Amino acid sequence: MKVNKAFIDVGTNLMQGYNIFKEQLNINSDWKVALIEPNPECHETILNNIKTKSNIKLYPVAIDSEIKTTSFITREDSKNDTAGTIISKEWLLKTLQKWDINCSKFIEYTVETKRLQDILDEYPNYEFYIKIDFEGKEFDILENFDPSNYAIKVVFIEFHIQNDQDLIRANNIVTKLELAKIPVFLWY
């Protein structure tokens, strides 16, 4: 019996995670791939790279714990720059204030959000391989996500830890996933 597999790349940016994991996981045209990236500066490059691949879909949204409209910020000079990450406005402002940095060189975007489960529900009867690199929002995404409804084979996470509370939250998330028998790997 054929097993349906899906790779979910939350925060794909310019597809760096997908490009690494397609080799590691042997992702081919039999897989479904969801590339989730809210930064409109990245969309043209992604669409050019996937235009002949019918198994790959770009979701130009942010992932959050609820469906809403939210603001994100990126550097003014970030077009097609792997370091031009789009991040939550609240997280960035908190971080910039901590470091006493002026944020006048940033562009604000408003984007729609989806929940992680909304994306997974689009692929019924699939095994999931999930990569999450979402610049501080991974805490909210995973704290409010119930993995028990899905056949998740592995989660690769980049935690953006700013303080001791974030470290505790990251540990709680890893413990929650491991208790659900989901292997977790930290992604840097």
Side-chain angles (χ1 to χ4, degrees):
M1 182 173 159
K2 181 183 171 196
V3 176
N4 295 319
K5 296 180 181 181
F7 180 69
I8 311 298
D9 188 352
V10 179
T12 194
N13 193 261
L14 295 175
M15 300 173 59
Q16 301 92 317
Y18 166 73
N19 288 326
I20 290 170
F21 289 112
K22 77 177 177 184
E23 302 299 323
Q24 301 297 318
L25 299 172
N26 296 313
I27 298 172
N28 59 42
S29 60
D30 291 334
W31 288 57
K32 293 292 185 184
V33 177
L35 303 175
I36 301 160
E37 178 55 52
N39 187 344
E41 298 290 337
C42 297
H43 295 166
E44 182 180 347
T45 299
I46 294 168
L47 290 170
N48 284 335
N49 286 324
I50 67 172
K51 64 183 165 192
T52 62
K53 298 176 173 109
S54 61
N55 64 314
I56 302 178
K57 180 178 178 181
L58 170 63
Y59 291 83
V61 299
I63 298 297
D64 205 324
S65 58
E66 59 184 322
I67 298 170
K68 62 183 181 180
T69 300
T70 191
S71 293
F72 281 81
I73 296 177
T74 190
R75 284 195 346 261
E76 191 174 77
D77 58 348
S78 70
K79 186 168 179 129
N80 293 328
D81 174 359
T82 59
T85 308
I86 192 164
I87 57 180
S88 123
K89 182 179 180 180
E90 61 196 40
W91 188 83
L92 176 66
L93 293 176
K94 180 175 71 171
T95 302
L96 292 177
Q97 288 170 350
K98 180 178 164 184
W99 295 337
D100 195 30
I101 297 173
N102 182 336
C103 65
S104 62
K105 298 282 188 198
F106 293 89
I107 298 172
E108 183 173 348
Y109 294 103
T110 301
V111 297
E112 298 300 314
T113 67
K114 282 191 171 208
R115 299 171 308 157
L116 181 58
Q117 55 266 37
D118 298 327
I119 302 291
L120 300 184
D121 287 345
E122 291 186 29
Y123 302 93
N125 303 312
Y126 275 78
E127 291 182 350
F128 295 103
Y129 299 75
I130 302 172
K131 186 224 87 180
I132 298 177
D133 178 4
F134 216 58
E135 310 306 319
K137 289 300 283 182
E138 64 278 356
F139 299 107
D140 293 336
I141 293 167
L142 292 170
E143 286 171 338
N144 294 292
F145 173 69
D146 180 3
S148 65
N149 297 325
Y150 306 96
I152 300 172
K153 293 302 184 183
V154 65
V155 177
F156 305 94
I157 308 170
E158 180 177 350
F159 284 111
H160 296 82
I161 296 173
Q162 295 290 311
N163 53 46
D164 290 343
Q165 182 62 31
D166 288 348
L167 187 59
I168 292 167
R169 292 172 77 192
N171 185 59
N172 290 342
I173 289 167
V174 169
T175 299
K176 172 179 147 177
L177 293 170
E178 289 178 340
L179 287 172
K181 307 277 191 248
I182 300 169
V184 177
F185 294 91
L186 300 183
W187 155 259
Y188 296 98

